[in-house]
Amino acid sequence: MILLKSQHQGKILSLPPPPSDFNNLLLKGNNLLALHTLKSVSSIYGNVKLIYIDPPYNTGNDSFNYNDNFNHSSWLVFMKNRLEIAREFLRDDGVIFIQCDDNEQAYLKVLCDEIFGRENFVGDFIRKTKSTTNDAKIGVNIQHENCLCFAKDKNNISFLGGEKDLSKYKNPDNDPNGDWVGADPSAKSGNPHTGYFAVKNPYTGKEDYPPVGRFWNFSQNTIQRHIDEGRICFKKEHKENERGFIYKRYLKDLKTNLRTFDSLEFTTNEYMNQVATKEAISLEIVDLFRYPKPEALLKRIIEVSTQKGDLVMDFFAGSGTTLAVAHKMGRRWVGIEQMDYIENITKQRLSKVVLGEQGGVSKLVGWDPKNLLGDALPNSFLYAELMPLNEAYKNLIIEATEQNITEIISKMQKNAFLNYRIDFVKTTKDSDFEALSLEDKKHILLNCLDMNLSYVPLSEMEDSEFEIPETLIKANKIFYGGKK
């Protein structure tokens, strides 16, 4: 466990509410360490209904402000470490959705098969990203990306939800079987001996065959039964290029009136990048997040996989789209983000949601802070940070210039926890060190840090060396339920 610094909607908390009372958590820090830290919070660990993540795609384009240019094996290890612990956070009926593209999709699928079990693969949901063409050298215009879904236990889930649109079912001919809709009488699979034959219209004499490569849904032995039942209805008049009969699908034959979750559901324009870009412009974050996901995408995923009050997690929180939509839909949420923009972008966006922001899907879901309070879900969130130790020096080194690197070295010598295997003073005072390039100096300084102490361990919070205020010590004891 790692010590937390905490804020509540931007204000420092002397004592955060205990885990049983807080509903929403935004946490800054390395997501792998943060996940291991949250294992000690019983209201979160093992209680997550939905995890949605949009990790680096490993494309070579640093469009997510993460290292989006890992070599292939490093990226797989990076994902494996996080997905293994993510699975532990899911409820027995929990699911995870992972956004990716063709660059790593196949390898990610195999990795998830290993972690979640091949038998728990739910589906690959395709999202249309754009309509425009590009100047791809080989003439292939990639217009989609993938969203892999796995369940902790596929036997425990169902994505059926909401009523199907049954408005097309009518009964214009007073068919005693009730409302019906015209359906395709052919199928891709079938027997060429029993499923491929002419159907002759007794009124016009027109003969119809199944389309090339397809077969009738009925055989020569069963066609008369379909006619007697009224399922096959011959037209007395039709155009020359029109099929001479109607094949009816009856409302009464539907296995369920509930809507299914289709793998091509996200191929319509409302889920495209341009929609998300417009939302990002309205939130004034488009310069930092070039490829955010539209709120409609998260709305649909959340509504099919969760109920009000369920817990949603995103440990690549980015601009906070998942968390914002979850909040608007009355779900509890946990978000983790390591980048510094979490304070100016993610936290501020969620603060606007708390105040009743009406962009994105707000109107579609009827977002009203007063209604949320009526559902006994507090309209608030807890913001906390893993308390940095050497992580702070790591960031200083990465951002160092020739003008301030000497000052950083001095601070490290006084306060940082250094790798005992390296003589820091001798290393940095060496004349050869001064002759190095800035990047080489940074590399050496990073190696001097003991990265086992990137953050302050909870077990050390009462050590006077860290000078941690008593109020913060009490806050962490409450958050972790008295554990150390």
Side-chain angles (χ1 to χ4, degrees):
M1 291 180 283
I2 297 173
L3 188 69
L4 298 179
K5 297 193 302 180
S6 60
Q7 295 181 342
H8 192 58
Q9 293 176 230
K11 298 180 180 178
I12 296 292
L13 274 182
S14 58
L15 286 176
S20 59
D21 290 335
F22 84 83
N23 288 277
N24 308 309
L25 172 66
L26 180 61
L27 183 57
K28 180 182 180 183
N30 177 288
N31 56 12
L32 183 59
L33 293 175
L35 286 169
H36 280 283
T37 293
L38 292 178
K39 285 176 69 172
S40 302
V41 183
S42 59
S43 60
I44 298 174
Y45 186 64
N47 286 302
V48 177
K49 183 66 170 66
L50 164 67
I51 296 174
Y52 172 89
I53 55 172
D54 186 9
Y57 285 10
N58 197 21
T59 60
N61 298 313
D62 190 14
S63 56
F64 289 86
N65 293 283
Y66 288 92
N67 181 356
D68 199 21
N69 194 14
F70 295 101
N71 65 53
H72 173 65
S73 59
S74 296
W75 185 85
L76 286 173
V77 172
F78 170 85
M79 292 301 298
K80 180 177 185 289
N81 292 339
R82 285 153 180 79
L83 292 174
E84 283 178 337
I85 186 171
R87 183 184 180 279
E88 297 178 27
F89 277 85
L90 290 174
R91 292 175 6 183
D92 289 341
D93 60 350
V95 292
I96 182 169
F97 286 80
I98 310 166
Q99 205 76 40
C100 60
D101 66 7
D102 282 343
N103 201 53
E104 294 285 4
Q105 180 271 339
Y107 303 98
L108 181 61
K109 168 64 167 62
V110 174
L111 176 63
C112 289
D113 283 344
E114 177 186 330
I115 295 171
F116 295 94
R118 191 174 181 183
E119 69 279 4
N120 290 317
F121 175 60
V122 176
D124 182 1
F125 296 88
I126 306 301
R127 182 178 78 92
K128 183 179 180 181
T129 57
K130 61 182 180 179
S131 295
T132 56
T133 59
N134 59 23
D135 298 324
K137 292 181 180 179
I138 62 171
V140 176
N141 183 33
I142 304 298
Q143 295 182 305
H144 78 281
E145 60 184 28
N146 309 71
C147 191
L148 299 180
C149 178
F150 279 80
K152 190 168 186 179
D153 185 341
K154 192 174 176 180
N155 294 319
N156 295 332
I157 70 164
S158 172
F159 286 159
L160 288 173
E163 292 290 327
K164 288 181 179 177
D165 181 6
L166 305 177
S167 60
K168 292 182 180 180
Y169 285 85
K170 307 288 183 183
N171 192 1
D173 57 350
N174 294 318
D175 189 319
N177 292 307
D179 291 352
W180 57 270
V181 65
D184 187 351
S186 67
K188 288 183 179 180
S189 60
N191 187 320
H193 300 293
T194 60
Y196 191 85
F197 56 91
V199 175
K200 187 175 181 179
N201 185 316
Y203 302 110
T204 65
K206 187 176 190 304
E207 292 187 345
D208 288 299
Y209 287 87
V212 176
R214 297 178 71 89
F215 308 89
W216 294 130
N217 285 331
F218 43 84
S219 69
Q220 288 176 310
N221 294 329
T222 61
I223 184 174
Q224 190 58 49
R225 175 165 57 83
H226 283 70
I227 294 170
D228 294 342
E229 290 175 350
R231 192 177 299 276
I232 292 177
C233 180
F234 291 104
K235 301 175 183 177
K236 294 184 177 180
E237 295 180 357
H238 56 76
K239 295 179 181 178
E240 186 176 343
N241 60 348
E242 217 174 55
R243 187 183 292 123
F245 65 94
I246 296 170
Y247 187 74
K248 297 179 179 180
R249 183 170 68 234
Y250 291 107
L251 179 60
K252 67 183 181 67
D253 291 337
L254 287 181
K255 292 180 180 179
T256 176
N257 289 345
L258 296 178
R259 183 181 172 189
T260 57
F261 189 26
D262 302 329
S263 62
L264 294 179
E265 187 155 337
F266 301 130
T267 56
T268 57
N269 291 350
E270 66 182 298
Y271 301 109
M272 286 168 43
N273 288 347
Q274 63 186 29
V275 175
T277 299
K278 289 178 182 178
E279 293 173 354
I281 290 172
S282 68
L283 293 166
E284 299 180 343
I285 61 173
V286 70
D287 292 336
L288 193 60
F289 294 92
R290 286 183 289 162
Y291 303 111
K293 298 300 178 287
E295 289 198 5
L297 174 73
L298 275 304
K299 169 186 172 291
R300 182 62 180 142
I301 290 174
I302 290 171
E303 72 184 4
V304 300
S305 54
T306 67
Q307 301 291 329
K308 277 195 173 184
D310 283 344
L311 184 58
V312 176
M313 173 181 278
D314 184 348
F315 51 87
F316 288 96
S319 66
T321 303
T322 305
L323 315 178
V325 177
H327 197 97
K328 293 174 183 180
M329 296 179 70
R331 275 63 169 176
R332 298 177 297 122
W333 51 263
V334 174
I336 303 170
E337 178 55 60
Q338 67 179 16
M339 306 304 290
D340 287 338
Y341 58 65
I342 188 173
E343 290 203 50
N344 296 327
I345 301 295
T346 320
K347 187 173 74 173
Q348 293 306 315
R349 177 181 186 174
L350 294 168
S351 295
K352 291 177 182 178
V353 172
V354 167
L355 294 174
E357 172 261 309
Q358 289 296 301
V361 299
S362 294
K363 292 183 174 62
L364 283 174
V365 300
W367 167 232
D368 182 349
K370 296 177 182 177
N371 287 342
L372 188 68
L373 292 171
D375 291 336
L377 288 174
N379 182 31
S380 62
F381 63 92
L382 176 69
Y383 173 73
E385 300 178 10
L386 300 185
M387 180 168 275
L389 195 56
N390 278 349
E391 185 71 14
Y393 291 102
K394 175 184 172 183
N395 293 334
L396 286 175
I397 293 168
I398 292 171
E399 300 295 329
T401 65
E402 287 287 7
Q403 287 71 38
N404 69 1
I405 196 164
T406 301
E407 181 184 349
I408 292 171
I409 291 171
S410 177
K411 288 181 179 178
M412 287 176 63
Q413 188 174 353
K414 292 178 182 178
N415 301 313
F417 284 78
L418 304 174
N419 189 335
Y420 69 90
R421 293 169 293 185
I422 298 176
D423 188 335
F424 179 76
V425 176
K426 184 177 179 180
T427 299
T428 56
K429 293 298 183 182
D430 195 303
S431 59
D432 290 338
F433 180 82
E434 293 297 327
L436 293 173
S437 69
L438 178 61
E439 290 307 310
D440 286 340
K441 289 177 182 177
K442 289 181 180 182
H443 180 72
I444 289 174
L445 291 177
L446 287 172
N447 285 335
C448 288
L449 293 173
D450 181 355
M451 295 317 294
N452 289 319
L453 288 169
S454 294
Y455 298 92
V456 179
L458 188 71
S459 59
E460 304 296 321
M461 67 179 175
E462 295 183 74
D463 189 325
S464 60
E465 185 175 5
F466 295 113
E467 299 180 344
I468 297 169
E470 185 62 30
T471 53
L472 194 55
I473 292 173
K474 288 181 179 179
N476 275 268
K477 286 182 177 180
I478 290 177
F479 182 85
Y480 288 114
K483 295 180 182 179
K484 274 188 157 187

